[in-house]
Amino acid sequence: MSIPPGPPPSHEPYPQQGPYGRPGQPAPYGGPPQGWYAPQAPQKNNALAIVAFVMSLVCAIPLVPLILGIVALSQIRKRGEKGKGFAVAAIAIHGATIAFYGILLVLGLSGALDEGASPKRDTSGQVTGSGSVKVSDIRKGDCFNTNGDLAEYQDEDGGEASFSVRVVPCDQPHEGEAYAVFNLDNGTYPGTEKVTAMAEEKCAGTLLTDYVGKDPKLAEKLEVYYYFPQAATWALGDREVTCFLGDTSGASTGSARATGS
């Protein structure tokens, strides 16, 4: 009896098992299969960055969006959170907003934002045509209209005056008439209370009687007011006090100046 020959030997070797197991088989030691990666936790948005961005858009409390943006950047670096774009945008937007209002303040104090043409004057300086001027450019004898009610300035603490007035000829209806302009001494700002005391003392003295005379009826009708420098304008070199008369019952016509004054 003969034994039939077996199948020819295969020339394809069996796949060898590598150190990480066969393809598709779990790797030793419970590691992840080849080609697979463990999922990572998603990054969170930094809450402060979002709050700073929103506040910078609505122009909230000054400097708060700027501070929150800086704090948010620090937290993002430490925690690996998202939201850097929001924080940077908040800092940029609020920084630009602060700069914008700073420029407006400087322009307003300098009078660069005043509207309207300058008043026309004759050779003696009397106003013949109306126009807008800064408060610091009011001259003795000028009649003018303010942007607010003079009654607001009657209380003990005074009121916030506008930076400009509209000068008109005195034969036209007007609220105020300037009768004296003088400068305070240089030095550090003495404080609002001290400045107003000096202005009131001088405006109510001979400067008034020299301009209007001693007509008791006129004294009953008109009130004494004055523009005075505040701390912000004092720092810019403002030392000027302007004394003027005003009628709180409404606009008046004609000048209060006595003949020959």
Side-chain angles (χ1 to χ4, degrees):
M1 177 182 285
S2 63
I3 299 173
S10 173
H11 297 286
E12 296 181 4
Y14 288 103
Q16 299 295 316
Q17 183 172 338
Y20 298 103
R22 295 182 182 180
Q25 297 288 332
Y29 312 112
Q34 285 184 310
W36 291 54
Y37 299 91
Q40 296 181 351
Q43 288 180 303
K44 296 181 180 180
N45 281 310
N46 183 272
L48 274 184
I50 297 175
V51 172
F53 179 70
V54 173
M55 292 184 70
S56 68
L57 293 178
V58 299
C59 297
I61 305 173
L63 297 179
V64 171
L66 188 65
I67 296 172
L68 291 181
I70 294 172
V71 174
L73 284 178
S74 176
Q75 290 182 351
I76 289 169
R77 283 194 296 267
K78 292 178 181 178
R79 302 174 183 176
E81 295 175 325
K82 295 191 298 183
K84 182 178 180 181
F86 285 119
V88 172
I91 294 171
I93 293 172
H94 198 65
T97 301
I98 293 174
F100 173 74
Y101 283 111
I103 292 171
L104 282 185
L105 177 62
V106 173
L107 292 177
L109 292 176
S110 66
L113 299 180
D114 294 342
E115 298 181 356
S118 299
K120 295 180 181 179
R121 299 179 183 271
D122 59 19
T123 54
S124 65
Q126 294 296 310
V127 175
T128 58
S130 62
S132 295
V133 299
K134 294 185 293 183
V135 168
S136 58
D137 290 334
I138 297 175
R139 302 182 188 180
K140 177 181 177 180
D142 282 355
C143 295
F144 56 89
N145 288 307
T146 66
N147 293 328
D149 188 354
L150 288 180
E152 296 178 3
Y153 308 141
Q154 283 189 304
D155 59 22
E156 202 172 71
D157 297 327
E160 290 294 328
S162 60
F163 293 113
S164 63
V165 297
R166 186 163 188 80
V167 176
V168 298
C170 289
D171 58 3
Q172 296 182 10
H174 56 271
E175 298 171 327
E177 180 177 355
Y179 63 88
V181 179
F182 61 90
N183 289 325
L184 298 175
D185 294 335
N186 289 323
T188 57
Y189 187 65
T192 302
E193 186 175 346
K194 181 67 173 178
V195 169
T196 54
M198 292 188 293
E200 186 172 352
E201 179 182 4
K202 202 162 184 179
C203 286
T206 56
L207 291 176
L208 176 60
T209 55
D210 288 346
Y211 187 85
V212 301
K214 297 182 179 180
D215 185 352
K217 293 182 178 180
L218 188 64
E220 292 176 1
K221 179 183 178 183
L222 299 176
E223 295 283 348
V224 172
Y225 298 89
Y226 43 87
Y227 290 118
F228 60 91
Q230 300 184 23
T233 58
W234 187 280
L236 298 175
D238 180 22
R239 303 290 185 274
E240 190 172 88
V241 175
T242 301
C243 312
F244 66 96
L245 296 167
D247 187 352
T248 57
S249 62
S252 58
T253 56
S255 175
R257 180 182 293 202
T259 304
S261 63

